Amino acid sequence: MSPESRPPRGLVLVVEDEPAIADVVRLNLVKAGYGVHVQHDGAHALGDVRRLRPAAIILDVGLPGMDGIEICRALRADQDWTPVLFVTARDDEVDRIVGLELGADDYVTKPFSPRELVARVTGVLRRTQGTPETAPQTVGPLTIDTGRRRAYADDREFALTATEFDLLAYLMRRPGRVFSREQLLSEVWGYSSVAGTRTVDVHIAQLRAKLGEDSPIRTVRGVGYAAERSAAERR
Ligand code: CA
């Protein structure tokens, strides 16, 4: 596909081996203004990503050839941070995806509503493409540069997914202020859902694991999360 013929909202690679699901997803994405390339075989997905440079990938976990988890792991090992939205068949797969720290940006569980899936894709792309450029921001030992989408402390740079970066940037732009999970979900992910608040906790846990001692994030019990300047405040 030449750059001129790219659809206005970007190309989404859908890796899904069940034709009926792939069709519904494709139709809904096209209706929403996305270009779509469907791949049924996991073994060809990495080649598609390199060839097509999609704006986002919808990745089924259970696939022939190479499963979704292996595909995502290979991409991230290659320093490819294309946003990935996992589609899982079972709730316990969510724990597996999260536990492996694959750098997934979001996930939905089958059966899902196609409209919900499109909303998630739009949310991921809005976050990754629409972050306003501001001066680098420092909270405690950590600095973020939203223009370059980098997070670093001293000479260490952190490899964050698009969603992790946006969540961190949102908190760090307002140091000391406490946000509820619902607020973060609506502001960072761009949608509201009661079930979705677990997504916030999962991403906070991933951020903390990656940032280690440099994490500025404080849990405010029963309320939510805040970015704090000093180590004493973070406790
Ligand atoms: Ca499947």
Side-chain angles (χ1 to χ4, degrees):
M1 182 180 287
S2 70
E4 295 76 30
S5 64
R6 277 195 178 251
R9 300 193 79 179
L11 178 75
V12 178
L13 173 63
V14 177
V15 190
E16 170 63 70
D17 60 315
E18 289 172 61
I21 295 179
D23 271 354
V24 170
V25 169
R26 183 176 54 77
L27 285 172
N28 279 271
L29 285 168
V30 167
K31 211 165 78 185
Y34 292 101
V36 179
H37 179 84
V38 174
Q39 175 57 259
H40 298 293
D41 187 341
H44 297 307
L46 286 173
D48 285 350
V49 174
R50 287 178 190 131
R51 188 165 52 87
L52 301 168
R53 315 289 323 154
I57 306 165
I58 295 177
L59 195 52
D60 187 25
V61 175
L63 289 166
M66 189 175 189
D67 77 25
I69 287 174
E70 291 173 293
I71 292 166
C72 190
R73 185 181 277 143
L75 283 174
R76 299 319 190 214
D78 208 17
Q79 298 297 310
D80 183 319
W81 299 97
T82 307
V84 168
L85 198 149
F86 271 108
V87 176
T88 78
R90 306 187 313 266
D91 266 334
D92 57 334
E93 279 182 348
V94 172
D95 296 324
R96 202 169 144 225
I97 292 165
V98 168
L100 290 171
E101 288 175 19
L102 291 167
D105 293 276
D106 210 344
Y107 54 82
V108 294
T109 314
K110 288 179 189 173
F112 55 86
S113 116
R115 270 177 62 184
E116 168 83 8
L117 186 70
V118 171
R120 302 282 186 106
V121 170
T122 303
V124 164
L125 291 177
R126 187 179 58 79
R127 298 200 301 277
T128 52
Q129 297 170 349
T131 310
E133 253 186 71
T134 52
Q137 197 104 24
T138 299
V139 173
L142 193 67
T143 297
I144 51 162
D145 180 339
T146 49
R148 295 174 170 181
R149 299 188 66 82
R150 293 175 60 214
Y152 48 93
D154 298 322
D155 54 352
R156 274 181 79 196
E157 180 162 357
F158 301 99
L160 303 181
T161 66
T163 304
E164 287 162 0
F165 184 88
D166 289 317
L167 177 58
L168 181 65
Y170 189 82
L171 291 168
M172 282 180 63
R173 278 200 287 266
R174 301 150 190 89
R177 208 174 128 189
V178 184
F179 294 96
S180 71
R181 292 166 176 82
E182 289 79 8
Q183 278 175 315
L184 291 171
L185 193 66
S186 131
E187 293 297 323
V188 178
W189 276 261
Y191 61 84
S192 54
S193 121
V194 176
T197 54
R198 185 181 164 205
T199 304
V200 177
D201 293 333
V202 161
H203 281 83
I204 292 276
Q206 284 172 345
L207 266 176
R208 282 183 165 141
K210 286 189 180 179
L211 301 175
E213 287 189 340
D214 297 319
S215 167
I217 301 167
R218 176 167 68 105
T219 303
V220 184
R221 275 187 67 182
V223 187
Y225 299 102
E228 301 288 0
R229 291 188 193 280
S230 75
E233 286 171 323
R234 289 194 287 281
R235 291 205 185 95

